[in-house]
Amino acid sequence: MSLVRNEEQRRLQETAEDFLRRNAPVSALRKLRDEGDSLGYSRKLWQEMAELGWAGIIVPQQYGGLEFGFAGMGALLQASGHTLTASPLLATAVIGASTILLGGDEAQKDTWLPGIASGQTTLALALEETHHHDPLGVELSAAAQGDSYVLQGRKLFVADGHSAEQLIVAARSSGAKHGEDGISLFLVAGDALGVLRKRTIMADSRNAANIEFDRVRVPPDALLGAAGQGWPLLEAVLDRARIALAAEMLGNCWECFNRTVEYLKQREQFGVKIGSFQALQHRAANLYTELEMATSVVLQACASVDDDPQQVALLASLAKAKLNELSKQVTNEAVQMHGGIGVTDELEIGFFLKRARVAMQLFGDSRYHRDRYAALSGY
C-alpha cells in the first residue's frame, strides 16, 4: 500500500480544497450556528458537492457513482476538515453508502444507491445508546411480529439524525447485551410512525439527534443482511467511518498548524516576531513531525479499504487513536500559541478545537481504540 496519494487523488484533494475554501469557509459554519439553521448544512452546497460526484465517490458506476475508491473519499474528507464543512458527506456518502454496499441485497442497492450518489437521499447511523462509544451495547429491541419487526428503544448522539431521510438502526432481535449474536440492522424512514427525533446542540455546531423508537413497525425488506447476524456488517461499516473521520481530523490538524505558523510569523512581541523564539520553533517542529506521521497512518488506512481488507480493522483503530491524540495536541497548541485571543469566539481557531473535541469521542476515543488495537494484535 502506498503512503502517498497518486496524481488523480492529489488532484481531487486540491480541487476539493479550492472548492470548499471558496464555497464553504469556516465563516459559513459560523453563519449556520448564529442563525440556528434548522437543517444544519447548506442544501445548495450539498447538491453542488453531489454534482461534482462526491456523494457517489465510493458507489459503483452501475448505480450512478464514480467508483473512485476509498482513498479518494479520504482526500475529500481531509479537504473538508480544512474548512470544517458541515455536510452529509460522512453520514451519507461513507456510512450510509458503505452499509448498503456491504449489506444490502440487489433490490436494496438498486433502491438506495442511486439516490445516495445523486445527493437526493441522506442517511444516518443510529447506534449509540449511552454517552460512550459501545457498539455491542445494543438494547433497542426488534421483535418479530408476523413478517414484520417492531422496534422499541432509543438512540443517542445520532450524527445528522435530525434531518436524515433514512435511519440505519442497530437493534437486538435476539441474544444479550454486548453479545455479537442477535444484532440486526434496519432501514427506517426518518418520519416513520413512532419515530421521535430531538435535535441536540453540539459544541462543534454540527448536527446530531436523540431518537426515540416507540413501537415502530418495519417491513421485512427493511432488514439489511440476515436477522441477528448484523455485527460483522456493523463492525466493517464502523471501521470505514473511523478511517473517514480520521481523514477529516487530519485536515483539521493541518489547518490548525498552518494557521498557527502564519500567526507566529506575524505576531510581534518585544519588537520581534514571536516565530523567532526558539521554544515556539521547537513546539512547531514537533507538531510538524507528528502531522507527517499521522498523514502516513491515514493514507495507509484509506488504502487498506481498497487494497487490503484484512488490515482494515487494525488500521482503523490505529488511525483513530493517533488522530484523537494528535487533534488534542494540535488544537491545544494552536490556542495557546495564539495567546489570549485564541480562546475568543472572534477567532476561527476555536471552531477547530471544538470540532476536534467532538470528533475525538465519535466512533471511539483513544482508550477504546488503544485497547482494540492491542486485542486485534493478540495482546
Side-chain angles (χ1 to χ4, degrees):
M1 292 180 289
S2 175
L3 297 184
V4 295
R5 292 192 170 102
N6 61 33
E7 184 178 350
E8 288 185 332
Q9 293 161 357
R10 289 196 300 272
R11 188 179 301 118
L12 174 63
Q13 183 181 355
E14 292 167 0
T15 301
E17 286 185 12
D18 178 67
F19 173 83
L20 293 176
R21 289 190 189 281
R22 286 186 289 105
N23 297 282
V26 180
S27 58
L29 178 63
R30 183 191 292 273
K31 185 172 185 291
L32 290 170
R33 183 201 65 177
D34 292 347
E35 294 180 351
D37 187 272
S38 61
L39 185 61
Y41 64 89
S42 167
R43 196 182 299 277
K44 177 177 179 293
L45 174 67
W46 176 237
Q47 284 304 309
E48 290 175 350
M49 293 165 71
E51 289 170 7
L52 290 171
W54 296 5
I57 201 82
I58 66 171
V59 175
Q61 293 181 8
Q62 68 187 92
Y63 303 110
L66 290 185
E67 203 169 351
F68 195 80
F70 207 85
M73 178 59 77
L76 293 180
L77 265 297
Q78 184 175 337
S80 74
H82 280 276
T83 58
L84 301 180
T85 304
S87 80
L89 193 62
L90 178 61
T92 295
V94 176
I95 298 174
S98 293
T99 306
I100 304 299
L101 277 171
L102 299 177
D105 57 29
E106 283 305 314
Q108 290 167 330
K109 291 177 182 178
D110 286 335
T111 299
W112 300 111
L113 289 179
I116 292 174
S118 68
Q120 299 301 308
T121 302
T122 55
L123 298 93
L125 175 62
L127 170 63
E128 309 292 359
E129 298 182 15
T130 68
H131 296 290
H132 297 282
H133 184 55
D134 186 12
L136 283 173
V138 176
E139 291 189 290
L140 184 146
S141 64
Q145 290 191 5
D147 62 352
S148 300
Y149 290 89
V150 176
L151 307 183
Q152 184 72 38
R154 68 169 188 164
K155 296 293 183 180
L156 305 178
F157 191 32
V158 181
D160 285 347
H162 78 293
S163 61
E165 297 166 18
Q166 293 289 322
L167 301 171
I168 301 167
V169 184
R172 191 165 290 281
S173 52
S174 62
K177 181 180 180 181
H178 291 119
E180 295 183 6
D181 294 332
I183 293 177
S184 301
L185 299 181
F186 297 90
L187 273 171
V188 181
D191 59 356
L193 183 65
V195 175
L196 177 61
R197 301 191 282 186
K198 183 178 180 181
R199 185 181 181 183
T200 58
I201 305 301
M202 304 301 296
D204 63 349
S205 307
R206 295 297 188 90
N207 311 307
N210 296 331
I211 306 179
E212 298 281 346
F213 295 84
D214 184 15
R215 297 186 295 277
V216 178
R217 183 176 293 274
V218 294
D221 61 0
L223 179 65
L224 290 163
Q229 299 178 33
W231 171 245
L233 170 60
L234 177 59
E235 189 174 35
V237 170
L238 285 173
D239 280 333
R240 288 183 170 212
R242 291 157 179 155
I243 293 171
L245 182 58
E248 181 200 319
M249 295 167 77
L250 180 64
N252 179 320
C253 288
W254 272 116
E255 185 68 20
C256 268
F257 174 78
N258 291 334
R259 288 182 179 221
T260 302
V261 169
E262 285 303 309
Y263 181 77
L264 296 180
K265 293 177 181 178
Q266 298 172 12
R267 176 77 166 95
E268 288 190 6
Q269 194 164 7
F270 309 118
V272 297
K273 307 293 186 184
I274 63 174
S276 65
F277 298 163
Q278 192 175 61
L280 296 182
Q281 291 176 354
H282 287 173
R283 289 165 67 179
N286 181 57
L287 290 180
Y288 181 80
T289 301
E290 293 294 330
L291 278 162
E292 287 291 349
M293 287 193 293
T295 299
S296 296
V297 169
V298 170
L299 291 181
Q300 186 178 21
C302 289
S304 71
V305 177
D306 298 321
D307 304 327
D308 193 1
Q310 297 300 318
Q311 292 294 311
V312 170
L314 193 70
L315 291 173
S317 279
L318 175 62
K320 189 58 166 62
K322 179 65 176 175
L323 267 299
N324 283 345
E325 295 164 358
L326 183 60
S327 293
K328 181 177 181 179
Q329 180 185 6
V330 171
T331 53
N332 281 354
E333 289 281 59
V335 169
Q336 289 178 18
M337 291 189 196
H338 277 80
I341 63 172
V343 296
T344 64
D345 188 67
E346 180 181 355
L347 201 68
E348 291 181 345
I349 208 72
F351 282 80
F352 290 89
L353 181 143
K354 292 172 184 176
R355 175 56 182 167
R357 291 304 184 273
V358 174
M360 285 162 59
Q361 300 302 317
L362 188 59
F363 305 130
D365 59 14
S366 296
R367 178 178 297 180
Y368 177 91
H369 284 292
R370 284 197 300 265
D371 181 73
R372 183 171 184 255
Y373 184 89
L376 289 170
S377 299
Y379 295 104

